[in-house]
Amino acid sequence: MSGNVSWREVMPELELLEREPLRAHTTFRVGGPARWFLRPKDEAEAAEILRRCHEAGIKPFFLGNGSNVLAADDGFDGVVVSTAGLDNLTLGENGAIVAGSGVSLARLANVAAQNALTGLEFAQGIPGSVGGGTRMNAGAYGGELSGAVRWVEALAETGEKRRLSREECRFSYRHSLFCEEHLLVTAVCFGLEPGDREEIQAVMAELARRRREKQPLEYPSAGSTFKRPEGHFAAALIDQCALKGLRIGGAQVSEKHAGFVVNVDNATAADVLAVMDEVRRRVAAQTGVTLEPEVEILD
């Protein structure tokens, strides 16, 4: 099987799209078509997709909410596996919540709050999914997902199921085992503590207020564009170099928060990359610090 063979012939029940524009599936609202866009409805279907890709020598790209992805203007001439259909969420005992990788972090945090469970308040405003957030150990306002993870279930390239403890996931700043090994996260168990529902919701409301006040939520973006350099803050360095408002084509360094590159007017991926490259060049020249992209490039 290759990229030119119809998936409809081998998995007729599979939800799939051909030549699907990736701009419709990324928060940057940028990107050309994916040759095949597959959306498994459950873990078994996802495992079968991976097995067939492995046998054919195809390395699929795993896509959650697309909140940390910049897709190329020419698109992706391969297989994209969307986790949107893996969206089951169940409450367990002793503060456990098991969430499918396609569950949004906002939904996860809200369910936790509704059930008076504390530990994920920071995640409500992160525009990603459980799978993608776990892969990059997403965090905000002093919290990281790894702090609440008990175990992660994932599929290997062969479709074999694995369960990994938090320690086995090798979490660090914006990194995990899943950045190193080609594993598809399918479900995550979070262990939370009992708390006061009203206090939890008050914390979430305050963090939401701070996000609205400080972040350019009115424009499409991938959130923080660069990782935090050791001993520094990316946004502070960019601001220090007077780069707020730097614009190339339809992409711009946010005038509200220097850590964000935003799509202000039908930006292309080339526009975004040009802004990122110019920011990195000027920051390195003026401060000696090399900024590393946090956003993942799909081309």
Side-chain angles (χ1 to χ4, degrees):
M1 181 176 60
S2 71
N4 294 322
V5 175
S6 175
W7 280 86
R8 294 180 177 88
E9 297 176 6
V10 295
M11 296 181 69
E13 302 302 317
L14 175 65
E15 182 182 353
L16 63 88
L17 298 167
E18 189 173 358
R19 307 296 300 172
E20 173 67 5
L22 289 167
R23 68 178 64 88
H25 302 280
T26 64
T27 59
F28 241 136
R29 297 295 178 256
V30 168
R35 177 68 179 85
W36 292 104
F37 190 92
L38 314 182
R39 190 151 38 202
K41 63 180 179 295
D42 53 32
E43 185 183 80
E45 199 166 75
E48 179 65 9
I49 289 170
L50 296 195
R51 185 182 70 79
R52 290 186 177 275
C53 284
H54 180 69
E55 290 174 350
I58 296 170
K59 186 175 183 179
F61 182 83
F62 305 142
L63 184 68
N65 197 44
S67 61
N68 198 46
V69 174
L70 176 62
D73 297 316
D74 290 339
F76 179 64
D77 189 24
V79 175
V80 172
V81 178
S82 167
T83 62
L86 307 179
D87 59 354
N88 289 332
L89 190 153
T90 58
L91 293 171
E93 297 180 351
N94 301 317
I97 298 180
V98 178
S101 58
V103 172
S104 72
L105 292 175
R107 178 186 169 201
L108 173 68
N110 283 325
V111 168
Q114 290 162 10
N115 288 275
L117 295 172
T118 183
L120 287 173
E121 290 87 335
F122 70 91
Q124 182 198 40
I126 300 176
S129 63
V130 165
T134 299
R135 180 180 183 274
M136 68 170 292
N137 190 19
Y141 297 107
E144 292 182 327
L145 287 188
S146 59
V149 169
R150 287 186 181 173
W151 50 255
V152 176
E153 288 185 343
L155 297 173
E157 291 181 330
T158 59
E160 177 187 4
K161 183 176 179 177
R162 294 175 59 183
R163 177 176 288 195
L164 301 99
S165 66
R166 176 168 55 187
E167 292 70 28
E168 290 174 313
C169 292
R170 300 208 296 268
F171 288 115
S172 59
Y173 173 69
R174 299 301 176 265
H175 188 82
S176 73
L177 170 72
F178 309 104
C179 297
E180 303 169 12
E181 298 186 18
H182 199 231
L183 299 167
L184 175 62
V185 173
T186 54
V188 181
C189 178
F190 297 93
L192 307 175
E193 297 295 326
D196 181 271
R197 181 183 293 105
E198 291 187 1
E199 291 181 3
I200 293 169
Q201 291 174 335
V203 169
M204 291 169 65
E206 170 60 16
L207 294 181
R209 184 196 65 77
R210 290 166 63 181
R211 283 189 176 93
R212 290 192 300 272
E213 181 179 289
K214 297 181 178 180
Q215 297 180 9
L217 304 181
E218 65 273 25
Y219 292 114
S221 78
S224 296
T225 307
F226 300 100
K227 295 180 181 178
R228 184 180 67 228
E230 187 172 354
H232 300 275
F233 291 97
L237 290 171
I238 296 167
D239 197 8
Q240 174 186 327
C241 296
L243 292 171
K244 274 186 176 179
L246 171 70
R247 177 169 174 172
I248 298 175
Q252 182 182 57
V253 176
S254 169
E255 296 177 322
K256 192 173 186 180
H257 190 307
F260 286 62
V261 174
V262 293
N263 180 354
V264 294
D265 185 17
N266 297 310
T268 64
D271 294 340
V272 175
L273 289 171
V275 170
M276 291 173 62
D277 288 345
E278 184 65 9
V279 167
R280 296 184 75 206
R281 186 187 70 79
R282 292 202 206 176
V283 169
Q286 294 182 45
T287 71
V289 178
T290 299
L291 295 178
E292 295 298 330
E294 185 170 304
V295 63
E296 185 169 0
I297 312 300
L298 174 60
D299 55 18

